[in-house]
């Protein structure tokens, strides 16, 4: 979106992601990529919570530097004159106030490039008059004639200066005319329009000044286009590389969710709508400013045009679309519906927004970061484990790489894995505490070591562990804290469809086009469930908090109608039984359903094995596997029952982020699916064969 054809409107891009996901780093990378060729400015509202006028002034100041492909630095005459008038204390008498405004304009024009040039020319002209009067005419003129020449010289100097400064003021004539056109000026003359602006409050002047800022950007881009040169812009396939195109001016806004950032961007969107309404002659009010803002909160006004990240399908009969990943975002996706909306009179300001989701780090990027952190060949942690545990969250990856590895052996004895209970600092603070302190939104406190009532964030994490709750129309009424905690986690982007990582068998059960459910971010989910697992009961006679939370949730959800009827309710009970560690009855129930429908059976298997496994918070995956299958083959069970139990245990542990996906582990899962296919009573065993091939 850095390239644009003349007249194209530019959106206000909201770069979404939870706290510390790398949005600020991306803005800095974009700023470095723009270099000295793409006009840009950066504002950090976290560090500088300034008002909209001050933020626009800061952006204009940064853009007024020299750029390699511009013949001269940009100027902001409209905005500058308005800012001078706003900051001036005018005399109550209108005549004297008009003189003050004229003096301000005089001072302003004298400081412009043209004003400085004419001021130098004025000095040269005055010097010439002196030379003529005192030097060249001196031998020829004497007596009264010399006095006449001196008088002419003294009168000529101010006339020359006035003429030259008037010519300099001619350079800002368009800016003065623009202030006449704003609605607040009521068609007054330029001097009176600036007087009127100066007499308004700073809050009332925000709209005209923001509109002036955008008008200056548009004017500079049109009157002073960059020098033609080669660029690396990726143009649409229908366009040729030599197509005439311009580069957008870029404004990078960090901390867009702060009150100062929200107000600035809201006023900017309103100013664009304002300029659009003022474009009565159809000359075009599209400015070239592309805003890229980093935001860690969802804003409700976007919902008219964009589907919330925690919903998998847009509302029907609405212009809603799915929020795209940044790597897949194109201007055409925004322009398809929104450009027409902002192009009409009194178009909605919310239509200027274009939310996109920041891509998480890939496994290769995590491995590269680990190589820089620990270049030794024998790394204690595989990149795949760190990637699944952190979900590619940049702040989480940094936190993991800063911590020492735990002491539990990895599957099949390949090495140690990470423990979130390990001290993260000299005070002995566990890593999960550090993660929650850095990530939880305000209003959700970090759980303590013991509690009598489960904290709100723990209830939310346990509720969201069941992926089918994403489609529940109602919440359990047993907890008054659950709705509020879910709302906070969603609004702060910790719950989204982007964090769902489908298993290898999900596509086989649900198909390629199935939408992924909204889930809690794996880094936050693991940290909260670690807090739940390590919590102590308030009294010795109470049950452990893990059992209390998941058993209570099972009872609360059982009271609600389940989409899918009684069969879905039974499957949900099996899910909570497995989360509570009741492995044997769940395996038996799964084996009983094997010969009904293999594709539906794989869907159920995929759902059940997404349940959290408490065993892995204290044991290695290999130890947990041996414990789950202890005596299974010695109970005289059928081949089908044994294979089902093994497969359930393998996939349940395999889906845990701290289980390394080795070839040995894949081979055991493949063997179980193959054995089940050989013992099926159904003719069509292709789903089982596809599942086996997924682990080949």
């Amino acid at each position: 979106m850095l390239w644009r054809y003349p007249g194209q409107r530019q959106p206000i891009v909201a770069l979404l992601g939870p706290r510390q996901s790398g949005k600020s780093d991306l803005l800095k990378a974009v700023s470095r990529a723009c270099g000295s060729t793409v006009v840009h400015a950066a504002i950090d509202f976290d560090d500088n919570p300034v008002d909209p006028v001050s933020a626009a002034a800061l952006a204009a100041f940064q853009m007024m530097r020299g750029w390699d492909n511009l013949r001269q630095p940009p100027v902001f005459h409209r905005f500058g004159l308005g800012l001078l008038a706003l900051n001036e204390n005018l005399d109550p008498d209108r005549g004297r106030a008009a003189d003050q405004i004229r003096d301000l304009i005089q001072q302003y024009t004298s400081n412009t490039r043209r004003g400085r040039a004419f001021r130098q020319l004025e000095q040269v002209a005055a010097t010439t008059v002196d030379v003529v009067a005192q030097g060249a005419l001196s031998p020829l003129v004497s007596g009264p004639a010399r006095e006449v020449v001196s008088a002419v010289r003294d009168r000529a100097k101010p006339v020359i200066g006035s003429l030259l400064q008037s010519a300099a003021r001619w350079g800002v004539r368009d800016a003065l005319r623009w202030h006449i056109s704003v609605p607040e000026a009521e068609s007054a003359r330029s001097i009176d329009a600036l007087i009127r602006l100066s007499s308004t409050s700073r809050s009332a002047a925000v709209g005209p000044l923001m509109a002036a800022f955008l008008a200056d950007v548009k004017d500079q881009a049109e009157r002073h286009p960059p020098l033609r040169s080669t660029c690396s812009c990726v143009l649409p396939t229908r366009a040729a590389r030599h197509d005439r195109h311009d580069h957008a001016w870029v404004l990078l806004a960090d901390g867009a969710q702060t009150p100062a950032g929200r107000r600035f961007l809201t006023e900017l969107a309103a100013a664009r709508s304002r300029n659009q309404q003022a474009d009565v002659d159809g000359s075009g009010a599209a400015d070239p400013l592309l805003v890229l803002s980093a935001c860690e909160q969802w804003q409700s006004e976007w919902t008219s045009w964009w589907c919330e990240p925690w919903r998998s399908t847009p509302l029907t009969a609405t212009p809603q679309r799915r929020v795209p990943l940044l790597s897949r975002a194109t201007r055409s996706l925004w322009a398809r519906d929104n450009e027409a909306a902002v192009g009409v009179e009194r178009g909605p300001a919310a239509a200027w927004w274009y939310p996109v989701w920041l891509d998480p780090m890939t496994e290769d990027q995590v491995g590269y970061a680990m190589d820089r952190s620990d270049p030794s060949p024998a790394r204690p942690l595989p990149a795949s484990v760190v990637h699944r545990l952190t979900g590619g969250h940049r702040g989480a990856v940094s936190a993991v790489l800063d911590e020492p590895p735990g002491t539990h052996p990895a599957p099949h004895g390949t090495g140690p894995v990470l423990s979130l209970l390990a001290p993260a600092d000299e005070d002995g603070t566990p890593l999960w505490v550090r993660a929650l302190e850095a990530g939880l939104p305000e209003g959700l406190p970090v759980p303590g070591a013991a509690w009598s009532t489960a904290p709100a964030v723990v209830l939310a994490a346990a509720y969201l562990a069941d992926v089918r709750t994403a489609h529940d129309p109602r919440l359990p009424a047993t907890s008054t804290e659950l709705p509020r905690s879910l709302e906070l986690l969603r609004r702060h982007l910790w719950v989204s469809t982007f964090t769902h990582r489908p298993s290898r068998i999900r596509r086989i059960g649900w198909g390629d086009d199935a939408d992924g459910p909204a889930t809690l971010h794996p880094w936050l989910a693991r940290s909260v469930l670690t807090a739940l697992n390590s919590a102590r009961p308030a009294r010795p006679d109470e049950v452990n908090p893990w059992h209390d939370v998941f058993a209570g949730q099972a009872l609360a959800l059982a009271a609600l109608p389940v989409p899918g009827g009684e069969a879905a309710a039974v499957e949900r009970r099996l899910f909570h039984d497995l989360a509570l560690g009741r492995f044997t009855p769940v395996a038996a129930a799964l084996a009983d359903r094997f010969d009904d429908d293999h594709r539906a059976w794989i869907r159920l298997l995929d759902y059940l094995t997404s349940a959290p496994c408490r065993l892995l918070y204290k044991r290695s995956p290999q130890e947990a596997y041996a414990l789950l299958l202890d005596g299974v083959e010695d109970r005289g069970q059928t081949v089908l029952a044994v294979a089902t139990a093994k497969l359930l245990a393998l996939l349940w542990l395999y889906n845990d982020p701290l289980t390394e996906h080795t070839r040995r582990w894949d081979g055991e899962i493949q063997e179980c699916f193959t054995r089940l296919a050989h013992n099926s009573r159904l003719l069509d065993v292709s789903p089982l064969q596809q599942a086996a091939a997924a682990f080949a």
Side-chain angles (χ1 to χ4, degrees):
M1 285 183 286
L2 287 181
W3 64 267
R4 62 185 292 269
Y5 291 128
Q8 275 188 340
R9 298 180 180 91
Q10 297 298 315
I12 300 177
V13 180
L15 182 62
L16 303 180
R19 186 178 299 175
Q20 295 186 348
S21 56
K23 301 181 294 297
S24 299
D25 292 339
L26 180 67
L27 294 187
K28 294 175 183 176
V30 171
S31 180
R32 290 192 297 269
C34 289
S36 60
T37 55
V38 177
V39 181
H40 66 280
I43 307 174
D44 189 343
F45 289 100
D46 284 318
D47 296 337
N48 299 306
V50 295
D51 62 89
V53 174
S54 300
L58 180 60
F61 177 76
Q62 295 182 39
M63 291 179 176
M64 289 170 64
R65 55 166 276 196
W67 303 95
D68 290 348
N69 57 342
L70 294 182
R71 294 179 175 85
Q72 62 185 38
V75 293
F76 290 80
H77 291 326
R78 296 167 182 81
F79 181 72
L81 289 171
L83 199 58
L84 283 175
L86 179 65
N87 293 331
E88 182 71 11
N89 294 321
L90 295 183
D91 194 283
D93 181 78
R94 190 167 188 84
R96 288 193 289 269
D99 291 337
Q100 285 180 263
I101 290 294
R102 291 189 183 94
D103 290 341
L104 282 177
I105 298 174
Q106 182 73 20
Q107 294 172 17
Y108 180 83
T109 55
S110 65
N111 288 322
T112 62
R113 175 188 297 271
R114 182 179 294 206
R116 290 192 297 270
F118 281 123
R119 194 163 61 244
Q120 295 173 359
L121 186 58
E122 176 187 351
Q123 295 174 357
V124 172
T127 302
T128 302
V129 171
D130 289 338
V131 170
V132 171
Q134 298 178 8
L137 297 180
S138 182
L140 304 176
V141 181
S142 61
R146 178 179 293 277
E147 296 177 2
V148 173
V149 172
S150 298
V152 171
R153 178 199 62 189
D154 294 337
R155 291 194 184 105
K157 279 187 177 181
V159 172
I160 292 173
S162 177
L163 289 174
L164 292 177
Q165 289 304 321
S166 295
R169 179 172 168 176
W170 186 253
V172 297
R173 66 190 186 280
D174 289 338
L176 292 171
R177 290 174 183 169
W178 183 89
H179 282 282
I180 300 174
S181 66
V182 298
E184 289 80 0
E186 299 178 356
S187 301
R189 294 180 303 170
S190 58
I191 299 296
D192 295 327
L194 291 174
I195 291 176
R196 191 178 186 89
L197 179 61
S198 178
S199 62
T200 62
S201 63
R202 191 173 183 86
S203 59
V206 170
L209 287 176
M210 295 294 286
F213 171 77
L214 292 175
D216 279 328
V217 171
K218 176 177 179 291
D219 180 73
Q220 287 295 299
E222 291 177 350
R223 297 198 177 194
H224 305 284
L227 300 172
R228 296 301 301 272
S229 60
T230 58
C231 64
S232 57
C233 289
V234 180
L235 300 178
T237 53
R238 60 180 176 81
R241 173 72 63 175
H242 60 272
D243 270 10
R244 174 72 175 91
H245 70 278
D246 298 326
H247 291 157
W249 290 30
V250 181
L251 177 59
L252 307 170
D254 204 354
Q257 77 286 341
T258 62
R262 286 197 62 183
R263 188 184 175 201
F264 171 75
L265 294 174
T266 300
E267 294 290 352
L268 189 70
R272 277 185 163 170
S273 299
R274 173 196 186 98
N275 287 354
Q276 188 71 44
Q277 295 172 24
D279 184 32
V280 293
D281 58 354
S283 58
D287 61 82
L289 189 66
L290 172 65
V291 182
L292 180 58
S293 60
C295 189
E296 61 187 41
Q297 292 181 25
W298 179 261
Q299 308 300 331
S300 58
E301 58 266 25
W302 301 339
T303 309
S304 301
W305 302 92
W306 303 96
C307 178
E308 298 96 327
W310 56 87
R311 286 199 300 109
S312 55
T313 54
L315 296 175
T316 57
T318 68
Q320 274 194 351
R321 285 143 290 164
R322 293 283 301 272
V323 172
L325 285 170
L326 175 63
S327 59
R328 300 177 183 176
T330 61
R331 184 186 176 278
S332 59
L333 178 61
W334 171 82
R336 188 181 68 192
D337 294 320
N338 294 57
E339 188 168 26
V342 300
V344 300
E345 185 177 358
R346 301 188 182 279
W352 289 104
W353 287 92
Y354 185 10
V356 300
W357 192 271
L358 175 64
D359 297 72
M361 297 177 70
T362 64
E363 185 175 325
D364 290 339
Q365 290 172 331
V366 171
Y368 177 70
M370 295 178 68
D371 287 338
R372 290 188 301 170
S373 174
D374 181 13
S376 61
R379 287 189 313 214
L381 285 173
S384 60
V385 170
V386 177
H387 181 252
R388 289 198 308 276
L389 174 64
T390 62
H393 186 279
R394 286 164 175 78
V397 172
S398 299
V400 169
L401 297 185
D402 290 341
E403 305 308 322
T407 58
H408 302 310
H412 310 296
T414 58
V417 298
L418 184 77
S419 172
L420 270 69
L421 295 172
D425 53 31
E426 297 178 354
D427 298 330
T429 305
L431 180 55
W432 67 265
V433 173
R434 285 271 302 276
L436 296 183
E437 288 176 345
L440 284 181
E442 185 177 354
L444 287 179
V446 177
W451 60 68
S452 56
T453 303
V457 68
V458 172
L459 293 175
Y463 177 81
L464 293 169
D466 182 355
V467 294
R468 291 189 179 179
T469 57
H471 306 292
D472 282 350
R474 293 187 298 175
L475 295 175
T478 54
S479 173
T480 57
E481 291 293 327
L482 182 58
R484 174 177 169 272
S485 57
L486 287 177
E487 192 276 332
L488 284 173
L489 291 172
R490 286 172 173 173
R491 179 154 49 89
H492 287 78
L493 307 178
W494 285 110
V495 179
S496 75
T497 58
F498 295 99
T499 57
H500 176 250
R501 294 294 176 266
S503 66
R504 296 193 188 184
I505 62 174
R506 177 176 173 80
R507 179 184 58 82
I508 300 169
W510 295 96
D512 294 329
D513 300 330
D515 294 321
T519 58
L520 184 62
H521 194 282
W523 175 244
L524 201 69
R526 186 70 179 201
S527 300
V528 175
L529 293 181
T530 301
L532 175 60
N533 177 69
S534 58
R536 301 186 304 273
R539 295 195 305 269
D541 58 335
E542 293 180 344
V543 297
N544 68 76
W546 184 286
H547 183 278
D548 183 52
V549 168
F550 280 101
Q553 179 179 282
L555 290 175
L557 291 174
L560 295 177
V562 180
E566 180 60 25
V570 172
E571 294 175 355
R572 173 167 281 179
R573 286 196 293 271
L574 292 175
F575 173 91
H576 286 98
D577 284 343
L578 193 59
L580 290 168
R582 300 165 185 162
F583 175 79
T584 301
V586 173
L590 187 62
D592 291 340
R593 289 166 170 76
F594 176 71
D595 284 326
D596 294 340
D597 180 346
H598 288 331
R599 202 168 297 277
W601 187 84
I602 287 179
R603 288 198 296 268
L604 176 59
L605 176 66
D606 184 47
Y607 169 56
L608 296 179
T609 53
S610 66
C613 181
R614 193 184 181 198
L615 289 174
L616 292 176
Y617 288 81
K618 295 182 178 180
R619 294 177 173 86
S620 71
Q622 186 63 22
E623 291 171 342
Y625 179 72
L627 182 63
L628 290 173
L629 295 181
D630 185 27
V632 168
E633 295 181 338
D634 302 332
R635 299 172 189 165
Q637 300 190 65
T638 63
V639 174
L640 174 63
V642 173
T644 301
K646 285 185 175 181
L647 184 60
L648 178 64
L650 286 167
L651 286 177
W652 190 27
L653 303 175
Y654 191 88
N655 287 337
D656 188 272
L658 291 184
T659 300
E660 185 180 2
H661 295 176
T662 62
R663 287 299 308 141
R664 180 179 175 182
W665 201 274
D666 290 346
E668 292 181 7
I669 296 174
Q670 181 185 14
E671 181 183 353
C672 286
F673 274 117
T674 303
R675 185 173 299 177
L676 288 171
H678 292 163
N679 289 271
S680 173
R681 296 180 181 179
L682 299 180
L683 181 61
D684 183 14
V685 294
S686 59
L688 300 175
Q689 294 172 340
Q690 294 172 22
F695 294 89

